[in-house]
Amino acid sequence: MVTSLRNGKASREVDATVRYSILGTVRAMRGDTEIDLGPPKRLSLLALLLLRAPAHSP
């Protein structure tokens, strides 16, 4: 999270970048924070969708 001053008021900008790891344990990270991906069925569906997603490199 980034805090900046705009018009004399503090505002927060949230880094919305999420990184996924599907080799080994399926995980999702936002910054240094691991995101709870839910129960095993939801985790399996997410892994399947990530494997089928088009490749994207920043």
Side-chain angles (χ1 to χ4, degrees):
M1 183 178 307
V2 177
T3 303
S4 61
L5 288 177
R6 292 186 185 169
N7 298 329
K9 295 182 181 180
S11 66
R12 293 184 180 156
E13 299 172 15
V14 177
D15 181 11
T17 302
V18 177
R19 292 191 172 97
Y20 297 95
S21 171
I22 55 174
L23 295 176
T25 303
V26 178
R27 298 176 6 161
M29 303 286 289
R30 181 179 295 129
D32 293 333
T33 306
E34 187 165 353
I35 300 170
D36 178 21
L37 298 176
K41 282 188 178 182
R42 188 180 304 162
L43 190 66
S44 298
L45 177 59
L46 175 63
L48 177 68
L49 293 172
L50 289 170
L51 286 169
R52 293 182 174 211
H56 174 68
S57 298

